[in-house]
Amino acid sequence: MALFRRDLLLALRGGGGPGLALVFFASVIAVAPFALGPDLVLLARIGPALIWLAALLATLLGLDRLFARDAEEGTLDLLFASPSALELLVLAKAAAHWMTTGLPLAVVSLLLSLMLNMSVATGFATALTLLIGTPALTLIGVIGASLTVGLRRGGLLIPVLVLPLAVPVLIFGVAAVEGVAQHGFMAPAFLVLAGLVLATLALIPFAAAAALRAGRN
C-alpha cells in the first residue's frame, strides 16, 4: 500500500503522466472525424474500435518510466530487498498506473463517444468494457516495462513488445461493446474479456517479477 500511494502521488505530482495520456486520448478521438469524413453512420459504427485503439495507445505513455525511474533512483534495489513479495510490489505499481491512466480513460470515453455519434447505450457499454479491460492493457504493458528496464532507449521497444500481446484484449474489448449494449454482462465477448483480465492478473505479476530478477542478474 505504501508503494501504491507513492507511485500514485508521483504520477499526480509529476505533471505530464495522467494528463498527457488523457490529452493524447482525446486528441486521437477528436481528429478521427476529420480523417473519416462527415459520415455519421460510419463514425457510430467504428466508434468503439477507435476509442479502444486510442485507449491502448494512450496506456503505453509513461510505461517506459514505470521501472526505469526506480532503477535510476535506486528504489528498485530497495524493492528487491523488501520483505514483501516482488510480485505484490509489481502489482501495486501496476494498480497505481491504472488508477492514473486506465480509469480516467474509461471515464472520459463516455463523453468522447458523443463526438463519434454513438448512442448513449453504446457509449456506456464502451466505458464499461474499458473499465474492465484497461487493467489487462496495463498489466501487459508492465511486461514490456520489466523487460526493458535495463536497456538504453528501452522505451522504444515497449510498443513492439506490448502491441502484439494486447491484440486479443483489443479484439474482445471491441466485440464486447455491442454484446453488452444488447445482452448485458452475460455477452460471450464480455465474459472472454473478463477472463483475459483475470488471466493477466494471475500470471503477469509473476512473469514481470521474474523479468526484473533476470535483468538484475
Side-chain angles (χ1 to χ4, degrees):
M1 290 302 298
L3 181 62
F4 172 77
R5 290 193 298 268
R6 168 189 174 269
D7 277 30
L8 199 62
L9 291 174
L10 285 176
L12 295 176
R13 294 174 181 175
L20 181 61
L22 283 176
V23 170
F24 177 83
F25 180 62
S27 299
V28 172
I29 301 303
V31 302
F34 295 99
L36 297 172
D39 190 342
L40 297 180
V41 177
L42 175 62
L43 288 175
R45 187 172 70 250
I46 68 173
L50 286 174
I51 290 178
W52 258 94
L53 183 58
L56 170 59
L57 297 177
T59 303
L60 297 178
L61 299 177
L63 282 175
D64 59 324
R65 304 295 296 168
L66 191 62
F67 295 111
R69 179 175 56 190
D70 291 338
E72 294 170 358
E73 298 173 349
T75 307
L76 192 57
D77 293 328
L78 297 178
L79 297 183
F80 281 116
S82 171
S84 300
L86 185 58
E87 291 79 6
L88 288 178
L89 300 178
V90 168
L91 191 59
K93 293 182 70 65
H97 183 273
W98 178 79
M99 284 288 292
T100 56
T101 303
L103 181 59
L105 293 180
V107 174
V108 172
S109 68
L110 189 59
L111 299 176
L112 295 179
S113 64
L114 300 177
M115 299 178 59
L116 299 175
N117 195 42
M118 295 166 56
S119 66
V120 175
T122 305
F124 273 106
T126 303
L128 178 62
T129 56
L130 282 177
L131 186 65
I132 298 299
T134 46
L137 298 180
T138 295
L139 287 166
I140 292 172
V142 168
I143 284 289
S146 62
L147 289 172
T148 59
V149 64
L151 303 178
R152 295 182 59 185
R153 303 177 67 107
L156 299 178
L157 295 176
I158 291 180
V160 178
L161 297 172
V162 169
L163 289 177
L165 298 176
V167 168
V169 180
L170 183 65
I171 292 174
F172 287 102
V174 175
V177 174
E178 183 177 356
V180 170
Q182 295 181 357
H183 307 292
F185 296 134
M186 299 309 295
F190 183 79
L191 295 178
V192 174
L193 177 65
L196 289 174
V197 174
L198 293 176
T200 57
L201 187 63
L203 298 176
I204 285 183
F206 295 94
L212 290 173
R213 293 189 183 100
R216 190 188 186 193
N217 297 329

